[in-house]
Structures are given as C-alpha cells and as structure tokens.
Amino acid sequence: RIAAPTLGASGVTLSWNKVAGVSTYVLIAKRTGQPDRYTAVNGTTATPAAAPGFTVYYSVRTAVTGSAWSKFSAIKFPKDLTAARRAAPVMKVSGQTISWGKVADVDSYEFVTKVPGQDDAYTVLHGTSVAPEPHPGQTVSYGLRTEVTGSAWAKEVTISFSDAGTVTTTTTTTTTKTTTAPISVPAPAPSAPAAPAKPRAGFEQGLVSGSAILWQLPFMQALGTKHARMEFDINSSVASMTPIIAAYAQAGIKPLLLATFNGRTPTDAEARNLATWAAAFGPNGSARGADWAAGTAVTEIEYGNETNQPWQYPALNADPNWPASATYANLAKQYALTFKTAATSVAAANDGVGLLAIADTPGRWASWTDNVYKAVPNFATYVKGWVMHPYGPGWQLAMDDALAKAAAHGASSSIPIYVTEFGFATDNGNCLSDNYGWDKCMSYDTAASTLRTTLAAMKARYASRLAAVYLYSASDLASTSSTNDREAYFGALHLDRSTKGAYTTEVKSELAASA
C-alpha cells in the first residue's frame, strides 16, 4: 500500500497502476513559477487542468501515510488549446449508442436531440458516449459539439426507431448545424415553496470529507456539521479506522461510512468485512470510547461509490454499447450478490446498522437495475436506503427516474433516499470548465441562493422520504483563480479555510438545521 505507482502520460491524460487495492491517490503538479498543487484522485487516471504554453511535471502516490512517490512524468501543453477545443467531434452510431472521440482536453459536450414535431432538446454530457431514449416510430437526429464557446457542431447522425422502439436504421448526415444554440437546457426544477419545507425526523444534512479525512476535520468543525460522509476501502481494518472515527465522534460528528471498491467487484470476504465495521462503530459498538459524543454511532454504510458508472471500467469505456453489454450486466449482478452478503453479515453483527445501495441510473438506462434484480429478486429487502448523486439542474428527473426503476421491481416506496453527493462548483464568478449544467461562472451569492432554493424544493418534493443530503464538499482543492478545473471548487470553504462569502454562510445555515 505504500509502494510507488508507475506513472505515464498519454496526450493530456495521466494513468498509473493500482497499488495493493488502494483506490485513492495523491497527485502533485509542479510548474515553473507556481506553487506545487496537490489533488486527491479516486481511480488510476487523471486529466489535469491545461496549462497552455507550459510543461508540467506530475508525480503520484497512494493516499496512505508514508507512501512513496512515483517517478515524474511530463505533459507539454501547446500554447493555444482554444482552436483544438472548438473542433467538431466525429460521431458514430452502434445500435442505439452514439459515441465520439475526445476533443483535445474537453470533458463536457453539448448534445441536441431533434424529434420531429417537438422542440429541440439540449443537454450537457460528460464522457464520450450516450445511449438516447427510444422514440417509437420516429427518425431522430442528434448533434454534438464541445461545451466551448464558438465550437463547431459535429455532422449529425440519425436513428430510426420502429413502433416497438427498436433501432431500424442509422445514418450520418453530410451537413453541419450552423445556428447558435443555447447551452444546456435541462428539465426545470420545481419551484421552491414559500416557506422552507420541514425535513423528516432525523434528517441528516452533512458534508463529504476528502481523502485526507483527519486533515479535513477542522474544516468540518468550522462549518458546524453534525454529519460527515467518509470513505474507506472495503478492506480497511477496524484498527486503521478507529483513530479517524474517534476524532470525529469526539468532535460530535456522526460518520456515514462509504465502503469503496472502485473499478472492480468486491469478494464475499470483503463484503463480510463490513460486519466488523458495524460491530465496532455502530450503536453500542466495541470500539466506541466513553468520550465519543452521544448520537455519533454509525447507522449507515454506503456500498460502493458510483460503482455503476462506466468511467470506472476500461472495458466499458471502450464499448460504445456498454449499457447492453454482458460486462455491465455481470457487474450489476455481482454488486447485488455481494451487497446481499454484506447486508446479511452487517445485520447479524449489529442490527442498528444498515446498508445503502446505488439507485442512480446512468443515462436513464434500466440495465443496471434490471440485472441487480435478476441476481437478487428481493434485493430491496436488504436495502436501508437508496443512494443518489443528482448533480445539476436536472436533479428531479434523475431522482424520479431512479425511484421509478426501483419501483418497477416492487421496491417499497418507504425506502428512504440518501443524497450522498450534491453541490456546485464556484470560484466567485471565475468561469470554470463545467458545472454539471449550472452556471459555469457562478458567484458565491448565486451559489448560496441556488443551494437554498434547490434544497427546499428537494425536501418539498420527497418530504419524509428524503433521509439525508451530503454537500460535496468541505473544502476547495486549489487556491482561488489558480485553475478553471471544475473539480477544484466544490468546497464550502477555501483551501486555506477562509470563507466563500454568502455561500459559506448558506452552507452553515443548512447544516445548522440538521438533526
């Protein structure tokens, strides 16, 4: 776990080997005339923020105390990436999946769906493939461009659907769209009620901790949170976790534990290891000390982080038809089977602790949910709560879709919802690479008002079913104005622990209302 990874660079992307099951790594960037920049990375690839005209040197290590740094790899960035970022993507169709090659270092793309007789629908996509919803009996055109001002539209492709919704033909046009379209028009969120909605009894409003959990504790305390989502590899021992969880419990902060196994399926033995967590840290747990604050016992363990997202698996990233692939189906089935093993073991060890299962549906495909229930038909009976990460203004559509797909398999409408990540990227008006469909140049004042109205609307819509919302995250990952990378500015506080004005004030207000 402390061995140095082997780091390499391909274009503007860095990759390295996985070290002894470790899922979180620390990446350092060194550039002449600039302070070193550290970033926590989940997984074994990263596309750093561009530094046009500079050569930047990178090294990586595991996020384990005392681990060794890799040898440095360099990326030489061209002086001007603007033209490259504006180039038109090249789309191709395979079955019902549309894919394209990555354009320069761009991760966000504007996608338009043109159904005859309907208004064109625009959305922002992340990644390099999408599986659009069927439109029975229609021939639908699709366009794409990078989410960069002035970018060129790709040659459109069309998919013809039969009356049953299956694909009959696909074509690529020879013309390009020349009009300027609005950026990202998602489904509108419901209006907030006139008065704040009353949360359910025991509603948890918390914060997501970064990988350096103990280092994050002062940020958590400064913001006044009573709840913190903290990540540990599913193999982690009680002994290694106890000092961290003790520090939070002594500070009056209740942990929501996240068991991670990025890019793979855990073994049954690893799933059963969660029983040791429950026995140690749950109500009346064996590791709990007399100085641990009341109400800080662990009652939920989240099983996997975005495990059904294709970006975690190289085999899926290379398959444009990944939602319908045997690989994806098998991942869902193995997730369900090991979840059942974990839930059964946890319940036997401490019936005061329950497991949270992934409910999000990437691309609104039903394949993950369908295959989970194929493996374990009564899957929902093992689930304490559904996990969702509904980033962006289309949060309602994403949440409703996840609940509908679970309900289609007989899941009870009483199973609570746990939003374990939600937030905004804001550097006080400095324009960022992306913001999941929100304003990329969001000010702190706008972020504060948007958070207030969105949380109120979320509570109003899901009422007592909404058990928790955890804001991502406690702190920024970079100093203000030092990059345009979206991922650097989701914090409620600056990297130096100073406030982000109205946004910090609003976050504190929301946290103060938590049970």
Side-chain angles (χ1 to χ4, degrees):
R1 292 170 64 86
I2 63 172
T6 300
L7 176 67
S10 176
V12 294
T13 299
L14 300 166
S15 61
W16 55 91
N17 61 296
K18 189 166 188 174
V19 176
V22 176
S23 58
T24 305
Y25 298 80
V26 179
L27 182 71
I28 184 174
K30 290 180 173 287
R31 169 179 152 187
T32 303
Q34 296 287 329
D36 293 348
R37 181 182 170 215
Y38 295 84
T39 306
V41 179
N42 288 321
T44 56
T45 62
T47 302
F54 289 90
T55 297
V56 184
Y57 296 87
Y58 300 92
S59 180
V60 70
R61 66 175 177 86
T62 65
V64 176
T65 302
S67 60
W69 288 97
S70 71
K71 293 182 179 180
F72 279 93
S73 285
I75 296 178
K76 185 175 182 180
F77 292 93
K79 289 184 178 180
D80 185 7
L81 287 175
T82 302
R85 290 169 175 158
R86 290 175 174 169
V90 177
M91 293 193 291
K92 60 182 180 180
V93 186
S94 176
Q96 195 179 319
T97 299
I98 301 171
S99 61
W100 57 92
K102 186 171 183 176
V103 177
D105 61 342
V106 177
D107 293 315
S108 299
Y109 299 83
E110 185 180 4
F111 185 72
V112 59
T113 301
K114 301 179 177 182
V115 181
Q118 299 180 22
D119 292 337
D120 294 350
Y122 295 86
T123 190
V124 173
L125 302 176
H126 308 282
T128 55
S129 67
V130 65
E133 287 189 340
H135 292 273
Q138 299 275 21
T139 295
V140 183
S141 298
Y142 302 93
L144 184 81
R145 69 173 184 175
T146 63
E147 199 190 14
V148 175
T149 302
S151 61
W153 285 90
K155 293 180 180 179
E156 292 182 354
V157 297
T158 62
I159 298 178
S160 296
F161 296 94
S162 70
D163 290 340
T166 58
V167 177
T168 57
T169 60
T170 62
T171 61
T172 301
T173 69
T174 57
T175 60
T176 59
K177 179 174 178 178
T178 57
T179 57
T180 301
I183 298 292
S184 181
V185 185
S191 300
K198 185 177 181 180
R200 64 180 273 145
F203 174 77
E204 300 173 6
Q205 184 77 69
L207 291 169
V208 176
S209 170
S211 58
I213 305 175
L214 280 178
W215 180 77
Q216 287 266 295
L217 180 54
F219 290 87
M220 299 282 186
Q221 292 173 302
L223 292 164
T225 189
K226 302 170 189 173
H227 303 273
R229 176 187 186 238
M230 51 184 70
E231 172 184 342
F232 296 93
D233 188 276
I234 195 169
N235 280 310
S236 297
S237 66
V238 166
S240 67
M241 297 164 67
T242 298
I244 299 171
I245 293 176
Y248 274 73
Q250 289 161 358
I253 301 173
K254 176 187 175 184
L256 183 154
L257 301 183
L258 165 62
T260 58
F261 37 88
N262 291 341
R264 66 184 185 90
T265 297
T267 64
D268 283 341
E270 290 172 326
R272 287 192 292 270
N273 184 53
L274 299 188
T276 67
W277 297 11
F281 306 120
N284 302 310
S286 59
R288 289 185 57 78
D291 57 346
W292 293 23
T296 59
V298 170
T299 54
E300 298 92 15
I301 300 174
E302 185 178 347
Y303 195 70
N305 182 59
E306 300 183 357
T307 297
N308 62 347
Q309 298 288 344
W311 58 263
Q312 290 197 21
Y313 308 94
L316 297 181
N317 275 329
D319 183 358
N321 200 34
W322 61 264
S325 68
T327 298
Y328 193 62
N330 186 59
L331 286 169
K333 292 174 183 176
Q334 292 305 311
Y335 177 87
L337 292 168
T338 58
F339 184 97
K340 177 181 176 181
T341 298
T344 303
S345 300
V346 165
N350 191 329
D351 60 8
V353 182
L355 253 60
L356 308 181
I358 295 169
D360 283 327
T361 53
R364 290 188 285 156
W365 276 78
S367 48
W368 177 269
T369 308
D370 288 348
N371 282 293
V372 161
Y373 278 89
K374 282 182 182 178
V376 182
N378 63 337
F379 181 74
T381 63
Y382 298 98
V383 176
K384 178 176 181 178
W386 295 122
V387 170
M388 301 181 192
H389 293 175
Y391 285 103
W395 59 265
Q396 176 189 321
L397 182 62
M399 294 176 71
D400 285 356
D401 183 74
L403 294 174
K405 285 181 170 53
H409 289 277
S412 170
S413 60
S414 65
I415 297 176
I417 301 165
Y418 287 76
V419 175
T420 60
E421 285 187 26
F422 183 77
F424 314 103
T426 173
D427 190 27
N428 205 24
N430 294 322
C431 293
L432 305 177
S433 57
D434 180 63
N435 199 6
Y436 287 107
W438 300 106
D439 181 6
K440 295 186 293 184
C441 311
M442 184 179 279
S443 68
Y444 295 155
D445 287 343
T446 300
S449 61
T450 306
L451 178 64
R452 181 169 55 253
T453 57
T454 304
L455 289 181
M458 199 177 287
K459 292 173 185 176
R461 181 166 186 78
Y462 302 107
S464 62
R465 194 171 183 185
L466 187 65
V469 176
Y470 283 76
L471 301 177
Y472 181 83
S473 60
S475 67
D476 284 348
L477 299 177
S479 301
T480 185
S481 304
S482 64
T483 177
N484 73 337
D485 182 0
R486 166 192 77 190
E487 298 301 322
Y489 299 111
F490 278 95
L493 292 169
H494 288 299
L495 187 59
D496 63 2
R497 216 181 299 163
S498 60
T499 73
K500 295 175 80 170
Y503 186 57
T504 301
T505 300
E506 181 58 33
V507 169
K508 286 183 174 181
S509 175
E510 296 290 345
L511 293 171
S514 177

